[in-house]
Amino acid sequence: QVQLVESGGGLVQAGDSLRLSCAASGRTFNNYAMTWFRQAPGKEREFVATIYWIGGSTNYAGPVLGRFTISRDNAKNTVYLQMNSLKSEDTAVYYCAAGRLGYTDYRRYDYWGQGTQVTVSS
C-alpha cells in the first residue's frame, strides 16, 4: 500500500521558517518526481515545487522561488520543503504527491498525502 505522510505544518508569524516532510512508503519511487502542492481556502490546488528522486533536479513556482527549497533524503525515502521568509499568502494546506514527471498540474498525480496545514499570521 502506497503511503505519503506529510508533517511539519503549524502556525507561524510572517518572516518565520518551517520545514515540511513527506515520508514515502509502500513502493519504490526512484523513477518518480515528488512534488509539493498547496491549497488555500476557496482556491485551486497549486504547484509549489518538485524534485526527482534520481538526479535531484528541481523546479519551483514563481511565488516561492528564492524562499522555498525542496530536497530529498533517498535513504529515508523522505522529501522536504524548507520554507523561509514565510508570508501570509503562503497560508494553505500543503500536500505531497508522487508522479511520473514533475507536472505542475495536480490532476496528473496518482499518489497523494493527507496534507498538513501551514498558517502564517501577519
Side-chain angles (χ1 to χ4, degrees):
Q1 181 179 357
V2 174
Q3 272 198 314
L4 300 175
V5 180
E6 302 99 332
S7 61
L11 172 62
V12 297
Q13 293 187 334
D16 285 351
S17 299
L18 273 178
R19 189 177 79 157
L20 307 183
S21 299
C22 172
S25 63
R27 67 158 295 149
T28 300
F29 288 102
N30 285 345
N31 295 323
Y32 279 66
M34 302 299 294
T35 305
W36 287 97
F37 287 86
R38 66 186 182 186
Q39 188 166 19
K43 294 188 176 182
E44 194 171 18
R45 193 166 296 190
E46 66 173 359
F47 169 82
V48 176
T50 192
I51 187 168
Y52 285 85
W53 279 116
I54 296 178
S57 60
T58 60
N59 186 34
Y60 295 90
V64 308
L65 189 63
R67 299 188 298 124
F68 291 11
T69 302
I70 190 170
S71 62
R72 84 247 191 260
D73 184 330
N74 290 19
K76 295 183 178 180
N77 279 346
T78 300
V79 175
Y80 304 98
L81 185 68
Q82 177 67 43
M83 306 185 295
N84 298 330
S85 302
L86 283 162
K87 305 175 181 179
S88 57
E89 51 263 44
D90 295 319
T91 295
V93 177
Y94 283 71
Y95 297 92
C96 175
R100 278 297 189 179
L101 295 173
Y103 304 110
T104 58
D105 184 347
Y106 68 91
R107 288 162 290 196
R108 303 192 72 170
Y109 285 79
D110 296 322
Y111 304 108
W112 290 90
Q114 82 289 351
T116 184
Q117 176 71 47
V118 172
T119 303
V120 184
S121 64
S122 57

